[in-house]
Amino acid sequence: MDLRQFLMCLSLCTAFALSKPTEKKDRVHHEPQLSDKVHDDAQSFDYDHDAFLGAEEAKSFDQLTPEESKERLGKIVSKIDGDKDGFVTVDELKDWIKFAQKRWIYEDVERQWKGHDLNEDGLVSWEEYKNATYGYVLDDPDPDDGFNYKQMMVRDERRFKMADKDGDLIATKEEFTAFLHPEEYDYMKDIVVQETMEDIDKNADGFIDLEEYIGDMYSHDGNADEPEWVKTEREQFVEFRDKNRDGKMDKEETKDWILPSDYDHAEAEARHLVYESDQNKDGKLTKEEIVDKYDLFVGSQATDFGEALVRHDEF
């Protein structure tokens, strides 16, 4: 399937899903839970293992001895210590937990990277991305399927420039990650809001009114009676989304809706792990302090630390 067919299929699938009377489209970006286990260290450290390694990695914990676990934990601690000062801080541990929880994002980036770094120089320029993604579409100003690829390309270029911090129109892997997954980066949140508003704001007045808000989630499809959840969303718009009660959502109100200030589970878990392991109470951890509490971090069971280390090195 080529790009044009894929995008058209995606468009049709989205339209089909939205035409279902009971289907609800959710644009809100929530931080996922670190684990579905109960966080009770008196019972087990299963929650902490899921948080530190990611649930999928934590499932393979049954093969190593305590000695092997300690050895591999020591290696992974060296990777968490980003500035190589011999200590793991709360921020460094939080960053690692976020990486472990969102490894799928980096795997997605790695897959796409291979198809866009055309000259294999370890960077992706806008020209490379444009040519790899749109290619022949640029030579066809009036495609048969009627899809507006040039408008999509303009939108991609705007997002690419936002992700490209140094403005050279060449993305490092981190910048490319921000381009592909902007909701994961604070400096990209404005573009997430802007794109969302453009999608929903059908009359292009720069605001989202109640009917545009509902229309993005629900299609009447000839049905006079709205499902109960739609009525609830109308109430949510009036009571909570439209904070200044002017009948529409502006940029800040939209941002509060789709990018809520959720509780930072990764930071809370990082602080918990430091508190439980910090023997001299200096607010940071040495490798020895972490390995001494290996049961809290990884237990005496196995995980594929080698694979985790390789993946983390790539970013």
Side-chain angles (χ1 to χ4, degrees), residues 17-31:
L18 291 178
S19 70
K20 297 180 180 179
T22 58
E23 192 79 20
K24 181 177 180 180
K25 185 175 184 178
D26 189 5
R27 289 187 177 272
V28 181
H29 301 280
H30 287 291
E31 285 292 319

Side-chain angles (χ1 to χ4, degrees), residues 35-53:
S35 172
D36 58 6
K37 311 288 196 323
V38 175
H39 195 186
D40 184 354
D41 288 352
Q43 294 184 13
S44 75
F45 296 132
D46 288 346
Y47 178 98
D48 302 295
H49 298 166
D50 282 0
F52 183 69
L53 297 162

Side-chain angles (χ1 to χ4, degrees), residues 27 29 155 158-159 162 178-179 181-199 251 254-255 258-259:
R27 289 187 177 272
H29 301 280
R155 182 160 159 158
R158 182 180 63 191
R159 189 197 286 190
M162 179 71 75
F179 168 68
H181 298 276
E183 69 282 353
E184 300 297 331
Y185 291 80
D186 285 340
Y187 81 99
M188 295 293 291
K189 288 183 177 179
D190 283 347
I191 203 74
V192 176
V193 174
Q194 184 176 357
E195 290 178 1
T196 301
M197 294 189 75
E198 288 173 351
D199 289 343
K251 180 179 177 180
T254 302
K255 185 175 183 179
I258 65 171
L259 298 168

Side-chain angles (χ1 to χ4, degrees), residues 45-46 48-50 52-53 57-58 60-74 76-77 80 96 273 290-291 293-305:
F45 296 132
D46 288 346
D48 302 295
H49 298 166
D50 282 0
F52 183 69
L53 297 162
E57 295 291 333
S60 58
F61 261 33
D62 293 329
Q63 298 151 15
L64 295 187
T65 65
E67 289 72 24
E68 290 170 325
S69 287
K70 290 178 181 180
E71 179 182 356
R72 296 197 178 189
L73 177 59
I76 208 168
V77 169
I80 300 173
W96 171 263
L273 293 174
I290 292 175
V291 172
K293 290 285 289 186
Y294 79 98
D295 55 333
L296 173 64
F297 289 87
V298 300
S300 59
Q301 300 156 312
T303 187
D304 190 356
F305 279 111

Side-chain angles (χ1 to χ4, degrees), residues 268-313:
E269 176 63 10
R271 291 188 181 279
H272 167 69
L273 293 174
V274 170
Y275 177 81
E276 293 295 334
S277 310
D278 185 13
Q279 296 175 10
N280 63 3
K281 302 303 177 187
D282 63 350
K284 52 190 176 182
L285 302 178
T286 62
K287 181 184 293 188
E288 291 72 23
E289 286 175 322
I290 292 175
V291 172
D292 283 347
K293 290 285 289 186
Y294 79 98
D295 55 333
L296 173 64
F297 289 87
V298 300
S300 59
Q301 300 156 312
T303 187
D304 190 356
F305 279 111
E307 186 177 2
L309 289 171
V310 169
R311 288 170 175 168
H312 192 58
D313 271 347

